[in-house]
Amino acid sequence: MAKHNADTIANALRKRICLEPPTASPVLHEQSLAEEFGVSRTPVRQALQRLAYERLVEVRSGVGTVVAPLSEEMKAKDVELALALAKTAAEFEGDKRLSLEANAYIVALGRQVAEAKEIDLETNYAIRSTTINILTREMTNDILAEALRSSLWRLFRWRMDEAKHSPSGIDPRLPEVMASLTEATKVGTLGALLQAQYDSAMRNS
């Protein structure tokens, strides 16, 4: 059995949260999670702190840590913030060269989506989460990267919810988004990739 740490626990909970209905706000008990992952409460607490920073969970007085609900009243603001940060990141990172590893990952993911007849929600999650990680890991400014990462996770939760409620049960935006990102790899800069992320989000907002 794989040994869990704060990172693997955060990854597992992040996936669970993104696949949950947006109105669900289950309490995340540290002790229960520690038993589930076979660890002490310390890495669980560290994972929850990370998710709280990403606005995927929130701490409520007298209740504990719960999954942050998506509010329809805030949806437009969530989208607006993600767009603004993506645009700022594209301008800030500018001509920074994209690493060969990141370039190869984006091209491979784009090919996977283009060749797939259907992308289920779990595969969608894997592709989107990998893309978010690539975009933010390549950035030079840690503060901006963390802010963009948090806003993209929020936006992604909205996209997953829309996909779950679509007649097909899949995300119709994903092929267009990955095609844009793949095309941007030809430029070879992080700025181009972030601009493609912004342009795709704008078209689909």
Side-chain angles (χ1 to χ4, degrees):
M1 180 182 294
K3 186 174 182 179
H4 290 287
N5 56 32
D7 288 336
T8 62
I9 294 169
N11 289 337
L13 293 178
R14 196 179 285 115
K15 178 179 179 180
R16 191 177 301 176
I17 290 167
C18 287
L19 294 176
E20 286 284 336
T23 53
S25 298
V27 178
L28 300 175
H29 297 285
E30 287 185 8
Q31 186 58 44
S32 296
L33 291 172
E35 293 172 0
E36 176 184 345
F37 291 104
V39 297
S40 69
R41 294 175 65 170
T42 299
V44 170
R45 189 174 298 117
Q46 293 170 340
L48 292 177
Q49 288 172 345
R50 174 69 190 187
L51 297 180
Y53 186 84
E54 295 173 358
R55 294 177 62 212
L56 293 175
V57 303
E58 57 188 41
V59 179
R60 294 182 180 175
S61 178
V63 178
T65 304
V66 301
V67 175
L70 295 179
S71 168
E72 283 290 342
E73 292 76 18
M74 289 298 296
K75 183 176 182 179
K77 290 293 184 181
D78 287 340
V79 174
E80 182 181 351
L81 179 60
L83 287 170
L85 286 170
K87 184 67 173 177
T88 299
E91 295 170 352
F92 186 90
E93 296 296 340
D95 296 329
K96 178 187 181 296
R97 300 305 299 178
L98 195 63
S99 71
L100 293 177
E101 180 186 20
N103 195 299
Y105 261 117
I106 293 296
V107 171
L109 290 173
R111 184 180 301 117
Q112 178 185 352
V113 173
E115 294 175 353
K117 294 182 179 179
E118 184 175 294
I119 299 289
D120 61 31
L121 291 182
E122 290 212 11
T123 304
N124 186 316
Y125 173 85
I127 292 170
R128 292 275 200 171
S129 61
T130 300
T131 301
I132 290 174
N133 289 335
I134 290 172
L135 286 172
T136 55
R137 189 174 61 239
E138 291 282 305
M139 291 173 64
T140 58
N141 186 288
D142 291 341
I143 295 174
L144 183 55
E146 289 295 329
L148 178 61
R149 178 182 174 86
S150 297
S151 68
L152 289 178
W153 275 115
R154 190 74 170 183
L155 180 61
F156 178 57
R157 284 188 68 196
W158 281 114
R159 300 305 189 221
M160 290 294 284
D161 178 60
E162 292 167 3
K164 283 182 288 188
H165 290 88
S166 70
S168 64
I170 60 175
D171 180 4
R173 295 181 173 91
L174 186 61
E176 188 274 335
V177 171
M178 292 311 302
S180 294
L181 293 178
T182 300
E183 185 66 23
T185 62
K186 296 177 182 178
V187 179
T189 65
L190 180 56
L193 200 64
L194 289 163
Q195 183 65 44
Q197 175 70 45
Y198 168 81
D199 292 340
S200 296
M202 273 291 290
R203 288 191 292 270
N204 292 306
S205 62

